[in-house]
Amino acid sequence: MENLDGKVELPDNPKFAGIRIGFQRIGIFDYPRARTIIEVMDGGTMVFRGKASFGQGTRISIERDARLILGNNVCITAESAILCSHSIEIDDDTLISWGCQFMDTDFHTIVQYNDDLQIPSVLNYDKPIYIGKKCWICSRCLILKGSYLKDDCILGGGSTLVPVNHRENTLLVGVPAKPVRTDISWSRNRPGHE
């Protein structure tokens, strides 16, 4: 833990080893060099609604007055980053593969000037991210501010999620991610390994 000046809220009846940090190993990562870092700044809040697992090298930064909410049975496998400046919610039974990055901010301000009055208008305010129940975010995905992934969806490997219209049970892929198949579901078991 780097900085825990903020608040961490645990479930009402926490279970022993219900929140596991840095224990899940994946063979392709250099374990001694893959540090897990969690930073909750003063005024920031990290909320656990049940059990959660953060694999090796997971990095989480929650800024002042920001809120990260993790549903029950959320699993982040390894080497992913969550940069929360406003609000990120990842709902129950969601699996996040390695090398993913979540950002609800651009970290810098972009303004546009009115030609007549030279008054700047901010174009890029922080926006919340919501990931629904039983979603699978495949490896190396980028999830940007304002994104919303509905329940039981899959975000294909290497995709970039931006605000896009889709329905539940949808496979989204690409940069930017677009719906390519509907009426799908998924399981944590590999085919032939049930």
Side-chain angles (χ1 to χ4, degrees):
M1 305 288 179
E2 283 290 310
N3 176 354
L4 285 179
D5 291 336
K7 187 164 72 171
V8 175
E9 296 178 8
L10 299 175
D12 290 335
N13 298 311
K15 306 262 189 278
F16 178 74
I19 298 170
R20 300 178 53 87
I21 300 172
F23 286 99
Q24 190 164 344
R25 292 186 180 192
I26 295 178
I28 63 171
F29 292 105
D30 186 1
Y31 184 72
R33 289 182 167 68
R35 287 184 43 213
T36 299
I37 299 171
I38 297 177
E39 173 184 55
V40 184
M41 294 182 186
D42 186 30
T45 306
M46 185 174 197
V47 178
F48 291 94
R49 292 197 174 142
K51 67 181 185 173
S53 174
F54 305 104
Q56 68 190 51
T58 298
R59 295 162 315 279
I60 297 173
S61 178
I62 303 167
E63 292 186 357
R64 185 179 314 278
D65 300 323
R67 197 166 168 83
L68 172 62
I69 301 169
L70 300 163
N72 185 40
N73 201 30
V74 169
C75 178
I76 303 172
T77 58
E79 296 280 336
S80 288
I82 297 175
L83 307 164
C84 182
S85 292
H86 179 62
S87 172
I88 298 175
E89 182 172 357
I90 302 169
D91 217 328
D92 299 348
D93 299 313
T94 288
L95 174 63
I96 299 167
S97 297
W98 62 85
C100 295
Q101 183 167 302
F102 293 70
M103 295 189 323
D104 64 357
T105 183
D106 293 329
F107 290 105
H108 304 285
T109 303
I110 300 172
V111 297
Q112 182 174 27
Y113 290 94
N114 177 315
D115 288 336
D116 298 332
L117 304 174
Q118 291 300 309
I119 300 171
S121 297
V122 175
L123 299 178
N124 64 328
Y125 288 102
D126 296 349
K127 293 179 183 169
I129 292 172
Y130 176 76
I131 306 299
K133 291 181 170 102
K134 198 180 175 268
C135 290
W136 175 18
I137 298 176
C138 298
S139 63
R140 307 247 183 254
C141 286
L142 177 61
I143 294 83
L144 297 176
K145 68 180 190 177
S147 296
Y148 184 95
L149 195 59
K150 294 186 178 179
D151 293 349
D152 209 1
C153 285
I154 301 170
L155 183 61
S159 296
T160 298
L161 185 62
V162 297
V164 62
N165 188 21
H166 67 283
R167 60 187 216 212
E168 293 180 355
N169 303 92
T170 297
L171 170 63
L172 297 98
V173 297
V175 179
K178 295 181 180 162
V180 295
R181 186 162 291 172
T182 57
D183 302 317
I184 57 95
S185 189
W186 68 278
S187 167
R188 289 185 187 222
N189 298 323
R190 286 175 42 195
H193 291 84
E194 285 85 28

